[in-house]
Amino acid sequence: MKEIAVYIRSRDKFGDQIASFPALYQLKQWWPQATLRVVGQHAVSGYYLPLPWVDEFVQVDSLYAAARAMPWRADMTVCLHHTSERYAIVNMLRMPKVRLGFQNNRLLDFIWTHGWRKDINEYIGLANLSLLGTYRAVQPEITARDCFASIAASAPQPGVSADIVLIPGGGDGEFKRWGVDNFVALADLLKATLGADTRFSFVLGPAEAAEQAALHALNRPDFQLVVGCTVPELAALMLNARLIVANDCGPSHIGQGVCVPYVGVFNEANPEWFWARSYTEAVYPEPGSVGIQLVSPGQVAAACFRVLHTPRPLWLSGQESRTAGPAGTLEAGSVLRDRVAA
């Protein structure tokens, strides 16, 4: 392969971008010398160009521009968007040699040389890797973990990791936020069983000032605030954590991709954004109820203990990543790490 074009989903959310990283990583592992071009409708190049396996990012605002972004008869195209005929038309116009796309009962599904049936009950990051698997065998968990290990290697402190990571953010609104009070209550329940030396790292965005203030006010030496991290720093923090608990938010997809015991808290069942495995669990209100505040700390703690006691795949049992190869250089922004106890 010499030319590969990847058309990403037409969304500008952090989580959508993170969920595409393992597929991009896998493509570059297969064909290190190929030019990997990412094409998107939004100004999200800042997520992709720092990745050592992405060579170009092209922002497009029309069907014509989307077609022009791919050379005539390119070697491969991978279309991660699944709700529009737009990208099937692009493939008809440019006719790349290998065409991977999601089949979604659409008129132009026939254009794909390799298609994967879109299922909204399949975690989106896994669906992307399943699509690649129609061309060549993929090991999704190994690919995802190696991807984030490669990214973590470029963090300023690549060896830094956390004990238990708690992610109380939720960029899409309050309906996704379980709340700091619930996360603190969860920490107390976990500590009572796991031991007094258990430490908790709270991952927060720069805009979550109220959450930062509330945690600072507790003055607890077992709480560490991790604020304004870059993707490499977050990956390094989470890669060998004992446990990660998160709302449905952008950083949660790093937490799911590093393949450690993980519990997601949701306002309702949302399998497209939760990667179900033996050592992960989703917690949400009883069927027929919607509202993240209906989830109790006790429910989440019980899920945490279940995933912590579930045997993990042998390749993960040593908490070691497989060799991911050179990671390249990623530019890392400033990071504030401070103890709640001043």
Side-chain angles (χ1 to χ4, degrees):
M1 296 288 177
K2 296 181 180 179
E3 292 273 356
I4 304 172
V6 179
Y7 289 81
I8 58 174
R9 282 164 51 100
S10 300
R11 290 169 57 94
D12 59 357
K13 302 297 184 182
F14 184 33
D16 286 88
Q17 318 315 319
I18 296 297
S20 72
F21 286 3
L24 299 174
Y25 171 86
Q26 182 64 81
L27 288 167
K28 200 66 169 183
Q29 298 309 298
W30 284 342
W31 299 290
Q33 304 306 315
T35 298
L36 182 58
R37 179 180 296 111
V38 176
V39 184
Q41 294 187 40
H42 297 281
V44 293
S45 62
Y47 293 118
Y48 292 98
L49 289 178
L51 297 174
W53 49 86
V54 172
D55 299 296
E56 300 175 16
F57 180 90
V58 182
Q59 186 177 348
V60 298
D61 58 3
S62 66
L63 179 63
Y64 175 75
R68 293 269 300 179
M70 176 171 37
W72 168 253
R73 295 293 287 168
D75 293 282
M76 174 181 280
T77 183
V78 180
C79 296
L80 302 183
H81 201 290
H82 64 272
T83 61
S84 172
E85 297 280 30
R86 174 190 191 95
Y87 300 99
I89 293 173
V90 167
N91 278 265
M92 292 180 69
L93 293 172
R94 306 305 283 174
M95 290 305 294
K97 298 167 187 173
V98 180
R99 304 178 292 277
L100 278 66
F102 287 106
Q103 296 171 331
N104 201 23
N105 294 325
R106 293 185 174 273
L107 182 64
L108 300 181
D109 278 355
F110 70 87
I111 196 64
W112 311 119
T113 61
H114 299 75
W116 181 254
R117 177 64 58 185
K118 179 60 183 178
D119 181 354
I120 62 171
N121 292 312
E122 182 179 35
Y123 173 61
I124 189 168
L126 177 59
N128 293 339
L129 292 172
S130 297
L131 177 59
L132 297 190
T134 63
Y135 183 82
R136 180 182 290 184
V138 175
Q139 295 175 294
E141 289 169 279
I142 291 175
T143 296
R145 185 166 170 86
D146 283 356
C147 165
F148 288 105
S150 176
I151 293 173
S154 292
Q157 298 176 328
V160 173
S161 63
D163 186 13
I164 294 179
V165 176
L166 304 178
I167 310 177
D172 278 350
E174 288 300 317
F175 74 99
K176 286 191 174 184
R177 295 176 184 267
W178 195 40
V180 166
D181 289 347
N182 283 323
F183 274 97
V184 171
L186 171 66
D188 289 337
L189 291 172
L190 294 176
K191 191 167 185 174
T193 296
L194 298 179
D197 61 343
T198 307
R199 295 293 180 264
F200 302 89
S201 296
F202 285 80
V203 172
L204 296 165
E208 291 161 343
E211 289 85 350
Q212 293 177 46
L215 289 166
H216 268 296
L218 295 175
N219 196 35
R220 287 183 54 163
D222 56 338
F223 287 2
Q224 176 185 224
L225 270 64
V226 183
V227 183
C229 278
T230 62
V231 172
E233 290 164 338
L234 288 174
L237 179 78
M238 299 183 200
L239 193 62
N240 293 311
R242 180 162 38 155
L243 170 71
I244 298 172
V245 184
N247 293 334
D248 180 15
C249 59
S252 73
H253 299 287
I254 302 174
Q256 296 187 77
V258 297
C259 300
V260 301
Y262 177 91
V263 173
V265 187
F266 295 84
N267 66 309
E268 60 182 334
N270 195 358
E272 190 176 17
W273 295 102
F274 171 71
W275 193 353
R277 289 157 288 176
S278 62
Y279 51 90
T280 70
E281 192 162 327
V283 185
Y284 43 83
E286 295 295 327
S289 300
V290 175
I292 199 166
Q293 297 307 319
L294 297 175
V295 176
S296 73
Q299 287 176 277
V300 179
C304 291
F305 293 130
R306 285 193 293 271
V307 300
L308 284 170
H309 289 96
T310 298
R312 300 172 66 200
L314 290 177
W315 66 272
L316 282 173
S317 60
Q319 296 278 354
E320 297 279 341
S321 174
R322 286 158 28 95
T323 301
T329 301
L330 287 156
E331 182 179 353
S334 63
V335 55
L336 168 64
R337 303 179 193 276
D338 56 359
R339 293 282 180 184
V340 176

